Amino acid sequence: MSASSIMESLFQRSLDDLIKGIRLQLIGESKFITKAMEEIRREIKTTDSQTKAVALEKLTYLNSIHGIDMSWAAFHVVEVMSSSRFAHKKIGYLAASQSFNEGTDVILLITNQLRKDLTSTNEFEVGLALECLSVIATTDLARDLTPEIFTLLSSSKTFVRKKAVAVILRIFVKYPDAVKVSFKRLVENLENSDPHVMSAAVGVFCELASKDPDPRLYLPLAPEFYRILVDCKNNWILIKVLKIFAKLLPLEPRLAKRVVDPICEHMRRTGAKSLMFECIRTVVTTLTDYESAVKLAVEKIRELLVDDDPNLKYLGLQALSILGAKHLWPVLENKDVVINSLSDADPNIKLEALHLVMGMVSETNVAEISRVLVNYALKSEPQFCNEILGSILSTCGRNFYEIVVDFDWYVSLLGEMSRNPHCQKGEEIESQFVDIGLRVKDARPELVRVARDLLIDPALLGNPFLHRILAASAWVSGEYVEFSKNPFELMEALLQPRTSLLPPLIRAVYIHSAFKVLVFCLHSYLVQREVIHPSSVDDLATGMPDLGFGIKCVEVSDIAKCQSAADCGHDDEFNPRVSDISVEDSTMETTRDITVHEASSSVSLQKEPFTHESILNLLNLVKMALGPHSGTDEVEVQDRAQNVLGFIKMIEQELHGLLGEEKGNFEIGEHKVPKIIELMYNAFSKELGPVSVSAQERVPIPDGLMLKEDLSDLDNMCADVLKPPSSSFTTGNPQFGEREGDSFFNLHGKEPEPSTESTLLLAQHRKQHGLYYLPSDKNETVSNDYPPANEPPLLSNLVDGTQDLMKLTEQSLASKKKSNHAKPRPVVVKLDEGDELPVSATKLTKESKDDSLSGALRDILLGDKVNPMSSQRQPSDKSSGKREKEALVDSGYASRSKQNLGDAQPSHGSSSSRRSKHRSHGKEKQRSPRRNNEGKEDTQKDKKKGSHHHRRHKTRQRADGPPNVISQTPVIPDFLL
Amino acid sequence: MIRAVMVMNTQGKPRLAKFYDFQPPEKQQELIRSVYGGFLCSRAENVSNFVQADAIFGPDTLMVYKHYATLYFVFVFDSSENELAMLDLIQVFVETLDKCFKNVCELDIVFNFSKMHTILDEIIFGGQVLETISAEVMKAVDEITKLEKASNAVTLVPKSVSGWQSR
């Protein structure tokens, strides 16, 4: 040993020194750590094991507490791990479990060291190695060390054995084939007399069952778990067993009958709150059909609810809300506690109480509860306030507003929620606003009224959380402007100066809505002046009988014509309010003449709301407000503003002339303006509906459109000519290129360079290969046949919509509650039933993820399901059945593969695909009974019977074609009987 | 399964961190920070000790914490553990520390990095609870400490002696 190493070890900073240094903070923490790291990097390279170990310990500390990287020291970790001194070894193992992961390359080097330590006579060394493995085991490590761990599973030392059992979890996850070898031993540990070992084994099964996509595999072990449930006194073990049963009970109803009594017994007797709560949870999640158990659980829940400990109260509420999904009475019984909990200081309790309250909501009390909650939200702190608003929105919006009957009420509630100063649910409210507008025709008048109230309030524009709601309000008032009592006032609101506070995209919505309002006003004025005859619009509407309420003018003209308004439901509400408003807003300049004109008569708008003057004022207002926007650099805003201004410019001149003339004096044919306005008006009055998710699929592909073939050609071309992406745009979408692309080129004479270049390239290419992406003649016919982009989804929607309506009426007839209401629930247009697709998709991925482990387990557990069957046949001879199982499992790994090789089918062996695995598994199922029988032959007398049975089983399988696992599962016997 | 054990002081400084599924060091620090900043520092006294941890540790995770003097003890776990049992387990851990260090305080935890891990590893093994009786934990920890000391003592003397002799 050289002197330098002694000096090193004498003057090396220990971990304590390091920590003291950091705490002293003489030169600042990060600076000190940098310095310490320099030392560590030097020290760790030394040959002296003590210095190296201390350096590694310091590094591990810095890694764990200060987040310093230590992956660079992986090799030194291996060195220290292999030290013969226990203290060093321990430092090495801690460092390894702290820093090693799948990406550590030196992990390959530790296999032998681990093997050595796993077989050590010192139990603490074995413990270190197992502990490390439980965190870092990779597939390779798990595979290579499975034999050692298998041996340790039956170690005589509890200290080692419990850890060996626990490490199995990681081994199984990483190397599912280990199941074949060690599963039997693991099950044996369930029966160990030592509670530590048993606890570890139960814990492993609990993890396996909860992670496995198919817990059915563990059903054969139910008798073992049942025995533990009945006999065990250890609360920790009982909790885990209950967790396992919670997974198994939904799968096997016979099991529930057996365990319900012991569970209730534990619930009654135990003094441990944790065990009691676990019993309650098991009952409320899986044993809700057993009335006495539920009653007992509710009793115990009540105890938790009135406890002073907030933890117990919270868990009690949680259990209650789980139960609430099945039985409402316990929730109603504890209503007072739940309501009081809403004002608890504890955020968990409040939230859980809120869920419970929302769970009690039905269509009869939704209004009352929501009213209370919205008022309560005003007084709550922001976070909880938004929880309340969010849960009201999601509850009411659930399944196409299932529980909402009175949409006028709900829409005004939405408006009220928007005005809550803490409201941050803009996005949800926005989408419901628009969604209700699209789906619920009858709610539109109220929607427009609420939207108007929001738009007109200049204070709301300052709150960025509300901008989304304002966007929806603007859209709604533009789209359904015919329900507006005062379009002029609306226009002022849309164009008020404070809209400059809005983000550009929302301002664009505002301007577009203003456009719609303008067109509506002009059109109504012309109708009123009889320049345009509403009948012509009616003709249009009758021309499209399918659209039903597709053209809004029908309603408008109805209003204009018949003052009695008997047929329009909204008219009754509509009129009185108008007079109110007109009094309120009499100060507004543009509207003054209207109000003066109409203040006397309560019937308003319909008569003569639009005067020459008011229209002129309107036009001026729009021009004034939008003028500045035409020069803004926000393109959306500029674009919309230009549209409106351009429109005004186009009609203005002639309109002045028109306005001057007498009523009904012109022929429509003479003037362009009425035509233009009518055109625009019709464009805006097309009904917008919700679009089904599957709408695109329902559009039939036109004959002769061969999308796939041509695209594959395109691939070839792209492969040998490297084109800029812009070119693939024009080539990839030939239709676009021919129709819109052309006009695009015409409009902008100067095309940017790249695309002309690409068209050149394309032309060259066509010449070269004599290929065209789509035959031009064909393409033409296609584009002629192809229906306008808007129509097909619309038509299919309507068809679909009526079907859904039928369903809806059927439903409402079926349930008594709904028919009781005096006011019929308005129609809600639905398109898609449920969303089953994503669910099944996630299921699939989950399954495939855990496939290997559950596959291996399936082999083992369903492979030996024959045994319970045989033991059922001879209930007295349980042990022999067990021995067989053992033999099967122990020899299984080797002998099975041999047999497979011997088999005529070559597809076995290393089959990796899932399908072939199943097939080979099914094959196994055919074989294993026979093997079993062979083993039995000398001892069992009823072999004939058995083999007969199996042979029949086998032939049936053959007849079925490829055997699959599902067909096997029903054979699971009555385990507990 | 238990996903992580954290001990931090009331200022959010980590004192012990163990993650049972590998997390790179920066990520560990980030998780600790978000546990403290997101929940603990703004938590009122005398409220329930459970926190939904989905936002930090992924779906189906729950966090339970206990506040002792200047320290927070935090366990993160999934639905295969019982909430109240985890609360008890924190108690077991703290009791064991108290026995080990005789009236444990924050400084003991700061300066006994490796012993803290020894104790914790006896209670929680790869995310699973293996021991819940603090006396049993103490027994194993004492044995391990003895073994450590012995292995150091045996080799320290000969090493330095041989070092001097060789000169």
Side-chain angles (χ1 to χ4, degrees), chain A residues 563-590:
Chain A
Q563 298 238 355
S564 60
D567 54 340
C568 297
H570 52 255
D571 264 4
D572 312 315
E573 292 175 45
F574 194 36
N575 294 335
R577 229 181 282 128
V578 171
S579 59
D580 291 345
I581 295 300
S582 51
V583 175
E584 262 173 41
D585 298 325
S586 55
T587 47
M588 303 187 87
E589 251 193 273
T590 41

mmCIF file of all heavy atoms in Angstrom, chain A residues 563-590:
data_model
loop_
_atom_site.group_PDB
_atom_site.id
_atom_site.type_symbol
_atom_site.label_atom_id
_atom_site.label_comp_id
_atom_site.label_asym_id
_atom_site.label_seq_id
_atom_site.Cartn_x
_atom_site.Cartn_y
_atom_site.Cartn_z
ATOM 1 N N GLN A 563 -99.674 38.042 -35.659
ATOM 2 C CA GLN A 563 -99.451 38.626 -34.360
ATOM 3 C C GLN A 563 -99.980 37.742 -33.241
ATOM 4 O O GLN A 563 -99.540 37.838 -32.105
ATOM 5 C CB GLN A 563 -100.129 39.996 -34.301
ATOM 6 C CG GLN A 563 -99.573 40.958 -35.291
ATOM 7 C CD GLN A 563 -99.048 42.209 -34.609
ATOM 8 O OE1 GLN A 563 -99.202 42.365 -33.426
ATOM 9 N NE2 GLN A 563 -98.436 43.085 -35.379
ATOM 10 N N SER A 564 -100.954 36.965 -33.593
ATOM 11 C CA SER A 564 -101.504 36.088 -32.564
ATOM 12 C C SER A 564 -100.427 35.147 -32.025
ATOM 13 O O SER A 564 -100.377 34.851 -30.841
ATOM 14 C CB SER A 564 -102.653 35.271 -33.127
ATOM 15 O OG SER A 564 -102.167 34.484 -34.200
ATOM 16 N N ALA A 565 -99.564 34.732 -32.940
ATOM 17 C CA ALA A 565 -98.400 33.931 -32.529
ATOM 18 C C ALA A 565 -98.779 32.725 -31.700
ATOM 19 O O ALA A 565 -98.111 32.382 -30.730
ATOM 20 C CB ALA A 565 -97.424 34.807 -31.743
ATOM 21 N N ALA A 566 -99.843 32.136 -32.056
ATOM 22 C CA ALA A 566 -100.294 30.995 -31.270
ATOM 23 C C ALA A 566 -99.395 29.795 -31.454
ATOM 24 O O ALA A 566 -99.214 28.992 -30.546
ATOM 25 C CB ALA A 566 -101.720 30.637 -31.656
ATOM 26 N N ASP A 567 -98.824 29.700 -32.638
ATOM 27 C CA ASP A 567 -98.082 28.475 -32.920
ATOM 28 C C ASP A 567 -96.645 28.489 -32.408
ATOM 29 O O ASP A 567 -96.043 27.447 -32.260
ATOM 30 C CB ASP A 567 -98.099 28.190 -34.423
ATOM 31 C CG ASP A 567 -97.602 29.380 -35.203
ATOM 32 O OD1 ASP A 567 -97.626 30.514 -34.637
ATOM 33 O OD2 ASP A 567 -97.176 29.206 -36.328
ATOM 34 N N CYS A 568 -96.129 29.663 -32.169
ATOM 35 C CA CYS A 568 -94.735 29.701 -31.738
ATOM 36 C C CYS A 568 -94.637 29.748 -30.227
ATOM 37 O O CYS A 568 -95.081 30.713 -29.599
ATOM 38 C CB CYS A 568 -94.024 30.909 -32.331
ATOM 39 S SG CYS A 568 -93.972 30.822 -34.108
ATOM 40 N N GLY A 569 -94.064 28.736 -29.662
ATOM 41 C CA GLY A 569 -93.978 28.617 -28.206
ATOM 42 C C GLY A 569 -93.247 29.777 -27.566
ATOM 43 O O GLY A 569 -93.602 30.240 -26.486
ATOM 44 N N HIS A 570 -92.256 30.269 -28.242
ATOM 45 C CA HIS A 570 -91.423 31.274 -27.582
ATOM 46 C C HIS A 570 -92.027 32.665 -27.635
ATOM 47 O O HIS A 570 -91.558 33.566 -26.981
ATOM 48 C CB HIS A 570 -90.032 31.289 -28.196
ATOM 49 C CG HIS A 570 -90.044 31.414 -29.684
ATOM 50 N ND1 HIS A 570 -89.778 30.356 -30.496
ATOM 51 C CD2 HIS A 570 -90.316 32.443 -30.474
ATOM 52 C CE1 HIS A 570 -89.874 30.749 -31.757
ATOM 53 N NE2 HIS A 570 -90.195 32.002 -31.760
ATOM 54 N N ASP A 571 -93.032 32.822 -28.436
ATOM 55 C CA ASP A 571 -93.548 34.164 -28.593
ATOM 56 C C ASP A 571 -94.116 34.746 -27.306
ATOM 57 O O ASP A 571 -94.010 35.936 -27.054
ATOM 58 C CB ASP A 571 -94.617 34.183 -29.691
ATOM 59 C CG ASP A 571 -94.018 34.608 -31.012
ATOM 60 O OD1 ASP A 571 -92.787 34.791 -31.054
ATOM 61 O OD2 ASP A 571 -94.754 34.766 -31.955
ATOM 62 N N ASP A 572 -94.737 33.873 -26.531
ATOM 63 C CA ASP A 572 -95.360 34.363 -25.309
ATOM 64 C C ASP A 572 -94.332 35.014 -24.401
ATOM 65 O O ASP A 572 -94.552 36.048 -23.802
ATOM 66 C CB ASP A 572 -96.024 33.201 -24.562
ATOM 67 C CG ASP A 572 -96.873 32.383 -25.501
ATOM 68 O OD1 ASP A 572 -97.606 33.006 -26.285
ATOM 69 O OD2 ASP A 572 -96.762 31.146 -25.475
ATOM 70 N N GLU A 573 -93.203 34.346 -24.331
ATOM 71 C CA GLU A 573 -92.166 34.908 -23.477
ATOM 72 C C GLU A 573 -91.481 36.086 -24.152
ATOM 73 O O GLU A 573 -90.877 36.909 -23.514
ATOM 74 C CB GLU A 573 -91.110 33.840 -23.206
ATOM 75 C CG GLU A 573 -91.613 32.728 -22.353
ATOM 76 C CD GLU A 573 -90.556 31.666 -22.231
ATOM 77 O OE1 GLU A 573 -89.390 32.017 -22.008
ATOM 78 O OE2 GLU A 573 -90.904 30.492 -22.380
ATOM 79 N N PHE A 574 -91.565 36.026 -25.410
ATOM 80 C CA PHE A 574 -90.779 36.919 -26.230
ATOM 81 C C PHE A 574 -91.275 38.354 -26.106
ATOM 82 O O PHE A 574 -90.494 39.278 -25.846
ATOM 83 C CB PHE A 574 -90.938 36.410 -27.663
ATOM 84 C CG PHE A 574 -89.962 36.986 -28.623
ATOM 85 C CD1 PHE A 574 -88.656 37.263 -28.234
ATOM 86 C CD2 PHE A 574 -90.347 37.222 -29.927
ATOM 87 C CE1 PHE A 574 -87.763 37.777 -29.147
ATOM 88 C CE2 PHE A 574 -89.451 37.717 -30.825
ATOM 89 C CZ PHE A 574 -88.161 38.005 -30.447
ATOM 90 N N ASN A 575 -92.542 38.505 -26.221
ATOM 91 C CA ASN A 575 -93.065 39.855 -26.341
ATOM 92 C C ASN A 575 -92.956 40.728 -25.095
ATOM 93 O O ASN A 575 -92.457 41.840 -25.189
ATOM 94 C CB ASN A 575 -94.523 39.801 -26.809
ATOM 95 C CG ASN A 575 -94.588 39.251 -28.208
ATOM 96 O OD1 ASN A 575 -93.611 39.355 -28.933
ATOM 97 N ND2 ASN A 575 -95.704 38.664 -28.567
ATOM 98 N N PRO A 576 -93.408 40.243 -23.973
ATOM 99 C CA PRO A 576 -93.407 41.140 -22.815
ATOM 100 C C PRO A 576 -92.014 41.661 -22.513
ATOM 101 O O PRO A 576 -91.837 42.809 -22.143
ATOM 102 C CB PRO A 576 -93.894 40.259 -21.670
ATOM 103 C CG PRO A 576 -94.392 39.020 -22.273
ATOM 104 C CD PRO A 576 -93.857 38.916 -23.645
ATOM 105 N N ARG A 577 -91.048 40.798 -22.698
ATOM 106 C CA ARG A 577 -89.701 41.185 -22.345
ATOM 107 C C ARG A 577 -89.207 42.335 -23.206
ATOM 108 O O ARG A 577 -88.468 43.181 -22.773
ATOM 109 C CB ARG A 577 -88.772 39.978 -22.499
ATOM 110 C CG ARG A 577 -87.909 39.803 -21.279
ATOM 111 C CD ARG A 577 -86.997 38.646 -21.456
ATOM 112 N NE ARG A 577 -87.683 37.388 -21.240
ATOM 113 C CZ ARG A 577 -87.649 36.379 -22.103
ATOM 114 N NH1 ARG A 577 -86.983 36.506 -23.221
ATOM 115 N NH2 ARG A 577 -88.260 35.270 -21.826
ATOM 116 N N VAL A 578 -89.649 42.317 -24.433
ATOM 117 C CA VAL A 578 -89.194 43.349 -25.348
ATOM 118 C C VAL A 578 -89.574 44.724 -24.824
ATOM 119 O O VAL A 578 -88.777 45.646 -24.839
ATOM 120 C CB VAL A 578 -89.789 43.130 -26.741
ATOM 121 C CG1 VAL A 578 -89.490 44.303 -27.625
ATOM 122 C CG2 VAL A 578 -89.216 41.861 -27.318
ATOM 123 N N SER A 579 -90.775 44.820 -24.317
ATOM 124 C CA SER A 579 -91.196 46.120 -23.828
ATOM 125 C C SER A 579 -90.340 46.549 -22.642
ATOM 126 O O SER A 579 -89.920 47.699 -22.549
ATOM 127 C CB SER A 579 -92.673 46.086 -23.440
ATOM 128 O OG SER A 579 -92.856 45.104 -22.458
ATOM 129 N N ASP A 580 -90.035 45.572 -21.790
ATOM 130 C CA ASP A 580 -89.158 45.888 -20.656
ATOM 131 C C ASP A 580 -87.851 46.491 -21.131
ATOM 132 O O ASP A 580 -87.408 47.532 -20.674
ATOM 133 C CB ASP A 580 -88.820 44.614 -19.864
ATOM 134 C CG ASP A 580 -90.035 44.093 -19.137
ATOM 135 O OD1 ASP A 580 -91.015 44.870 -19.037
ATOM 136 O OD2 ASP A 580 -89.996 42.956 -18.693
ATOM 137 N N ILE A 581 -87.280 45.752 -22.038
ATOM 138 C CA ILE A 581 -85.964 46.142 -22.531
ATOM 139 C C ILE A 581 -86.022 47.522 -23.148
ATOM 140 O O ILE A 581 -85.171 48.367 -22.910
ATOM 141 C CB ILE A 581 -85.484 45.127 -23.591
ATOM 142 C CG1 ILE A 581 -85.287 43.764 -22.940
ATOM 143 C CG2 ILE A 581 -84.209 45.597 -24.256
ATOM 144 C CD1 ILE A 581 -84.271 43.760 -21.845
ATOM 145 N N SER A 582 -87.047 47.729 -23.922
ATOM 146 C CA SER A 582 -87.083 48.990 -24.650
ATOM 147 C C SER A 582 -87.187 50.163 -23.679
ATOM 148 O O SER A 582 -86.676 51.236 -23.955
ATOM 149 C CB SER A 582 -88.232 48.995 -25.655
ATOM 150 O OG SER A 582 -89.418 48.615 -25.014
ATOM 151 N N VAL A 583 -87.815 49.939 -22.562
ATOM 152 C CA VAL A 583 -87.857 51.018 -21.575
ATOM 153 C C VAL A 583 -86.477 51.198 -20.967
ATOM 154 O O VAL A 583 -85.964 52.310 -20.848
ATOM 155 C CB VAL A 583 -88.892 50.694 -20.478
ATOM 156 C CG1 VAL A 583 -88.854 51.760 -19.397
ATOM 157 C CG2 VAL A 583 -90.268 50.623 -21.089
ATOM 158 N N GLU A 584 -85.876 50.078 -20.618
ATOM 159 C CA GLU A 584 -84.549 50.106 -20.006
ATOM 160 C C GLU A 584 -83.535 50.875 -20.845
ATOM 161 O O GLU A 584 -82.769 51.671 -20.341
ATOM 162 C CB GLU A 584 -84.035 48.669 -19.879
ATOM 163 C CG GLU A 584 -84.214 48.050 -18.517
ATOM 164 C CD GLU A 584 -83.825 46.598 -18.599
ATOM 165 O OE1 GLU A 584 -82.819 46.274 -19.263
ATOM 166 O OE2 GLU A 584 -84.539 45.787 -18.026
ATOM 167 N N ASP A 585 -83.574 50.552 -22.085
ATOM 168 C CA ASP A 585 -82.490 51.031 -22.928
ATOM 169 C C ASP A 585 -82.871 52.275 -23.715
ATOM 170 O O ASP A 585 -82.300 52.552 -24.763
ATOM 171 C CB ASP A 585 -82.061 49.925 -23.891
ATOM 172 C CG ASP A 585 -81.545 48.741 -23.131
ATOM 173 O OD1 ASP A 585 -80.920 48.957 -22.076
ATOM 174 O OD2 ASP A 585 -81.785 47.621 -23.575
ATOM 175 N N SER A 586 -83.824 52.968 -23.221
ATOM 176 C CA SER A 586 -84.323 54.087 -24.020
ATOM 177 C C SER A 586 -83.263 55.162 -24.212
ATOM 178 O O SER A 586 -83.434 56.057 -25.028
ATOM 179 C CB SER A 586 -85.565 54.683 -23.367
ATOM 180 O OG SER A 586 -85.259 55.028 -22.037
ATOM 181 N N THR A 587 -82.209 55.078 -23.452
ATOM 182 C CA THR A 587 -81.190 56.102 -23.623
ATOM 183 C C THR A 587 -80.349 55.880 -24.872
ATOM 184 O O THR A 587 -79.688 56.797 -25.345
ATOM 185 C CB THR A 587 -80.239 56.092 -22.421
ATOM 186 O OG1 THR A 587 -79.868 54.748 -22.167
ATOM 187 C CG2 THR A 587 -80.905 56.702 -21.204
ATOM 188 N N MET A 588 -80.349 54.685 -25.344
ATOM 189 C CA MET A 588 -79.459 54.407 -26.467
ATOM 190 C C MET A 588 -79.937 55.120 -27.723
ATOM 191 O O MET A 588 -81.101 55.040 -28.081
ATOM 192 C CB MET A 588 -79.404 52.903 -26.711
ATOM 193 C CG MET A 588 -78.951 52.168 -25.456
ATOM 194 S SD MET A 588 -78.679 50.465 -25.777
ATOM 195 C CE MET A 588 -77.001 50.534 -26.321
ATOM 196 N N GLU A 589 -78.995 55.752 -28.341
ATOM 197 C CA GLU A 589 -79.379 56.655 -29.422
ATOM 198 C C GLU A 589 -80.043 55.948 -30.593
ATOM 199 O O GLU A 589 -81.104 56.328 -31.048
ATOM 200 C CB GLU A 589 -78.149 57.392 -29.916
ATOM 201 C CG GLU A 589 -78.168 58.854 -29.511
ATOM 202 C CD GLU A 589 -77.129 59.620 -30.262
ATOM 203 O OE1 GLU A 589 -75.973 59.688 -29.815
ATOM 204 O OE2 GLU A 589 -77.486 60.133 -31.331
ATOM 205 N N THR A 590 -79.394 54.940 -31.048
ATOM 206 C CA THR A 590 -79.908 54.324 -32.266
ATOM 207 C C THR A 590 -81.255 53.677 -32.048
ATOM 208 O O THR A 590 -82.019 53.503 -32.988
ATOM 209 C CB THR A 590 -78.947 53.247 -32.774
ATOM 210 O OG1 THR A 590 -78.492 52.531 -31.649
ATOM 211 C CG2 THR A 590 -77.811 53.852 -33.536
#
